[in-house]
């Protein structure tokens, strides 16, 4: 039986835990460069996979080797920061026109980025623990998915709005710096356990 109370509690917990996380940053960066609806489809699909895994695995996800996951995430963030900093500048300070962007390319990029970066994340483990605690997989799943989609949507739309006021070069450099910082934190956690 679906419980609105459980779904609401899970939504609140997951939303607050994910809001300051890398999802908003990833959504912001993708939202500045690509058509937001395409980005959201990929990101939303990745979160469905994450929540399904968390619900299916229950608290077993907490047993994943945290250090290895953090090391992979750290390396991916370093690679992302390097790509942002060293990519060839076309002199453009605007987003590519949506007509030039393939749905599958953009949504695939969003899906892949979130799928890899969020695997073993705090909110995925938290969702698994909440599923085990409440023994209500549907309510926990709905609450978690809606919370993750809300954070992603805020990041994607925030990126599009930000482009109206801040040059893309500056956004790219700031995002690269934040990604490098997140890489450092992830690699530090991997090294120290």
């Amino acid at each position: 039986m679906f419980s609105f109370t459980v779904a609401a509690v899970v939504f609140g917990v997951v939303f607050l835990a994910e809001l300051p996380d890398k999802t908003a940053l990833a959504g912001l960066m993708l939202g500045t460069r690509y058509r937001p609806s395409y980005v959201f489809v990929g990101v939303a699909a990745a979160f469905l996979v994450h929540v399904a895994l968390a619900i299916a695995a229950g608290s077993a996800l907490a047993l994943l080797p945290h250090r290895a996951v953090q090391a992979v995430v750290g390396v991916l963030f370093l690679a992302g920061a390097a790509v942002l900093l060293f990519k060839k500048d076309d002199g453009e300070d605007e987003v590519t026109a949506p007509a030039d962007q393939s749905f599958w390319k953009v949504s695939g990029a969003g899906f892949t980025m979130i799928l890899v970066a969020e695997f073993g994340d705090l909110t995925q483990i938290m969702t698994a623990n909440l599923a085990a605690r409440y023994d209500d997989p549907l309510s926990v799943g709905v609450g978690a998915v809606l919370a993750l989609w809300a954070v992603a949507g805020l990041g994607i739309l925030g990126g599009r709005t930000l482009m109206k006021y801040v040059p893309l070069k500056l956004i790219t450099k700031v995002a690269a710096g934040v990604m490098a910082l997140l890489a450092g934190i992830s690699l530090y956690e991997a090294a120290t356990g």
Side-chain angles (χ1 to χ4, degrees), residues 10-20 123 143 146-148 150-151 154:
V10 171
F11 178 92
V13 169
V14 172
F15 182 85
L16 290 174
E18 192 66 25
L19 196 57
T123 52
L146 291 177
L148 294 168
V151 171
L154 286 173

Side-chain angles (χ1 to χ4, degrees), residues 10-105:
V10 171
F11 178 92
V13 169
V14 172
F15 182 85
L16 290 174
E18 192 66 25
L19 196 57
D21 201 28
K22 56 197 163 281
T23 300
L25 174 67
L28 185 138
M29 277 311 300
L30 289 170
T32 60
R33 293 220 168 258
Y34 302 110
R35 189 174 188 164
S37 60
Y38 291 4
V39 173
F40 186 77
V41 168
V43 169
F47 278 130
L48 276 175
V49 171
H50 275 286
V51 170
L53 288 172
I55 297 297
S59 59
L61 284 176
L63 302 176
L64 286 174
H66 182 71
R67 293 176 80 173
V69 171
Q70 289 301 95
V72 169
V73 168
V75 169
L76 288 171
F77 271 121
L78 273 179
V83 166
L84 288 174
L85 286 175
F86 300 116
K87 76 177 182 73
K88 184 178 177 193
D89 186 15
D90 299 336
E92 288 184 19
D93 219 15
E94 293 186 17
V95 177
T96 308
D100 297 341
Q101 301 172 13
S102 160
F103 169 80
W104 294 109
K105 178 182 173 187

Side-chain angles (χ1 to χ4, degrees), residues 112-185:
T112 303
M113 179 181 283
I114 295 301
L115 191 69
V116 172
E118 293 291 320
F119 192 78
D121 190 57
L122 171 66
T123 52
Q124 189 179 33
I125 294 168
M126 187 183 307
T127 301
N129 289 336
L130 288 166
R133 178 173 186 233
Y134 287 112
D135 195 26
D136 187 354
L138 179 62
S139 302
V140 171
V142 168
V145 164
L146 291 177
L148 294 168
W149 286 358
V151 171
L154 286 173
I156 292 166
L157 292 176
R160 186 59 75 176
T161 303
L162 191 61
M163 279 296 297
K164 294 178 183 175
Y165 305 104
V166 181
L168 181 59
K169 287 180 191 175
L170 179 60
I171 294 171
T172 301
K173 287 179 181 176
V174 169
V178 172
M179 289 178 94
L181 177 67
L182 290 171
I185 292 169

